[in-house]
Amino acid sequence: MDYRNETPEIIREFLFYHETIKGHSKKTIDEYFLDLRMFFRFLKVYRGIVPSETPYEEISIMDIDFNFVKSVTITDVYEYLTFLSRDRPKRKNSRNTEYGLGPAARARKTAVIRSYYKYLTLKSNNNRLSENPVADLDSPKLRKSLPRFLSLDESVKLLDSVDGPNRERDFCILTIFLNCGLRISELAGLNLTDLREDSVRVLGKGNKERIVYLNDASAAAINSYLQVRKNQAPIDNRALFLSKRRTRISTSTIHNLVKKHLLAAGLDSTKYSSHKLRHTAATLMLKSGVDVRTLQELLGHEHLNTTQIYTHIENSSLREAAKLSPLSSYKK
């Protein structure tokens, strides 16, 4: 996807800023582009600029200019959010799709619109708005839920179940997930040159680097896998983890192998995923006494409140408070 050929200058400037100045990943920039394109496509239908029966995929936004962007009101945005919650298909190109996006998806799209108008108000050099029309825009309320994670026994069971032609690679990947808490994209992106004697260099969100130290289990799993990898004649010599085609392993392959081994371990593969293994690593470390600030740095969280969700999972003081209740020993 190349947004440079499909966006007018008034939007392209914003995307360039986030790509070159803010250093956001291509995936993030693509999501910003798609969200803004959908917003302005909706407005062209909503305002009667194009017929309402026109498929959204056929609506060009190349004619969007500064005056159009400036004319947007907070009411327009709420109309758009109503459309998303009621009429937007959840899964495109599906015959039996449901309609209406959930709060998390709508909150992300709201954040992009807010970010865009904040940029035009504060950062833009060529087309600066004197007033932000969406400054008071509220975000959809999100339901707060605790992340799912495996227990220590379930984690051991998962590792013990690993077998098959790629067992050294898969065991290494699961071990790193459960001990280091890497994101799936971070794990797929690891290179041989990222390995140190007792640590690994990780490229996280926003191209931010961090050092993650390896415990004995992780180091041993990596060394065992490297003994196998050197005999595979890799096509991608840089990649640490290889696919069966000897190229860099993809995130979808990692996702599938995690599901496969969860099933082999007798665990519910519909409840857990590679991201849940990251949750597991964080939770088990917190239970073992790792403080939340250290956990924040290890996981690569930009904000502490993202990490603090794990403190609600295993809070020894709350457990002790339950035991100290005067009725804690009452039995009928």
Side-chain angles (χ1 to χ4, degrees):
M1 182 186 301
D2 189 354
Y3 66 83
R4 290 171 293 186
N5 299 323
E6 299 182 52
T7 51
E9 184 179 351
I10 187 67
I11 298 175
R12 193 163 59 243
E13 179 188 317
F14 167 75
L15 299 175
F16 278 156
Y17 170 76
H18 278 275
E19 184 174 13
T20 59
I21 304 300
K22 301 293 284 183
H24 289 161
S25 68
K26 182 182 183 302
K27 181 180 178 182
T28 298
I29 301 303
D30 287 345
E31 288 175 350
Y32 285 2
F33 160 61
L34 293 173
D35 286 342
L36 288 174
R37 185 178 68 177
M38 186 62 212
F39 175 56
F40 287 111
R41 281 174 167 174
F42 166 81
L43 287 181
K44 291 182 74 172
V45 173
Y46 176 63
R47 294 183 177 184
I49 298 173
V50 297
S52 58
E53 64 272 13
T54 307
Y56 278 88
E57 290 72 19
E58 297 178 9
I59 300 175
S60 171
I61 62 167
M62 291 302 292
D63 57 343
I64 299 296
D65 58 14
F66 179 69
N67 288 330
F68 189 100
V69 169
K70 186 179 179 180
S71 70
V72 170
T73 67
I74 196 169
T75 302
D76 291 331
V77 182
Y78 284 134
E79 289 288 349
Y80 173 60
L81 293 176
T82 300
F83 160 76
L84 293 177
S85 66
R86 295 180 181 177
D87 304 319
R88 183 65 176 158
K90 287 184 178 180
R91 287 171 290 278
K92 292 187 295 183
N93 304 322
S94 174
R95 292 181 179 178
N96 301 314
T97 189
E98 297 178 8
Y99 288 85
L101 301 184
R106 286 184 279 121
R108 192 199 74 198
K109 295 177 187 300
T110 302
V112 173
I113 294 171
R114 271 205 305 251
S115 177
Y116 177 57
Y117 276 93
K118 183 179 179 180
Y119 168 81
L120 291 177
T121 308
L122 302 176
K123 299 289 185 181
S124 176
N125 294 320
N126 302 322
N127 299 290
R128 179 169 291 190
L129 294 176
S130 58
E131 187 176 330
N132 186 345
V134 299
D136 297 324
L137 178 63
D138 293 325
S139 184
K141 187 174 181 180
L142 297 177
R143 181 175 64 89
K144 292 184 178 180
S145 58
L146 298 177
R148 287 180 175 149
F149 60 94
L150 299 177
S151 67
L152 178 57
D153 289 342
E154 289 172 330
S155 300
V156 172
K157 190 176 180 183
L158 174 61
L159 292 171
D160 284 344
S161 73
V162 177
D163 203 355
N166 298 304
R167 57 184 174 276
E168 289 86 2
R169 183 200 67 184
D170 294 1
F171 181 82
C172 186
I173 287 173
L174 293 174
T175 299
I176 292 176
F177 266 136
L178 292 168
N179 283 277
C180 304
L182 268 60
R183 299 179 178 94
I184 188 170
S185 58
E186 294 171 345
L187 200 146
L190 288 177
N191 292 320
L192 287 174
T193 52
D194 293 326
L195 297 177
R196 306 291 186 271
E197 185 176 343
D198 64 345
S199 64
V200 62
R201 185 184 71 95
V202 176
L203 188 62
K205 282 188 174 180
N207 291 322
K208 293 179 181 177
E209 293 183 5
R210 70 183 189 277
I211 297 296
V212 174
Y213 288 92
L214 302 171
N215 56 23
D216 291 343
S218 299
I222 289 174
N223 288 332
S224 295
Y225 167 64
L226 289 177
Q227 295 303 310
V228 174
R229 184 191 179 282
K230 69 181 181 182
N231 297 319
Q232 292 181 327
I235 294 174
D236 189 335
N237 289 312
R238 297 178 66 236
L240 173 59
F241 293 111
L242 302 174
S243 68
K244 64 181 180 181
R245 294 186 297 274
R246 295 174 286 123
T247 58
R248 182 182 296 277
I249 198 169
S250 66
T251 55
S252 60
T253 298
I254 295 176
H255 174 77
N256 290 333
L257 75 85
V258 168
K259 291 288 187 182
K260 181 183 93 171
H261 293 302
L262 283 167
L263 199 62
L267 301 169
D268 190 343
S269 61
T270 63
K271 284 173 55 178
Y272 301 108
S273 63
S274 54
H275 198 63
K276 299 300 184 290
L277 300 189
R278 176 171 156 87
H279 292 326
T280 299
T283 306
L284 294 179
M285 281 187 272
L286 197 66
K287 283 184 175 183
S288 299
V290 176
D291 67 87
V292 70
R293 287 282 184 185
T294 302
L295 192 60
Q296 176 192 4
E297 188 171 344
L298 189 147
L299 295 174
H301 286 160
E302 185 175 357
H303 303 292
L304 183 62
N305 59 359
T306 308
T307 316
Q308 284 176 327
I309 187 171
Y310 298 108
T311 64
H312 300 297
I313 297 172
E314 179 60 28
N315 191 314
S316 56
S317 60
L318 291 178
R319 189 185 297 274
E320 190 62 27
K323 292 180 181 178
L324 292 174
S325 167
L327 295 172
S328 64
S329 61
Y330 175 78
K331 294 178 183 178
K332 187 173 180 180

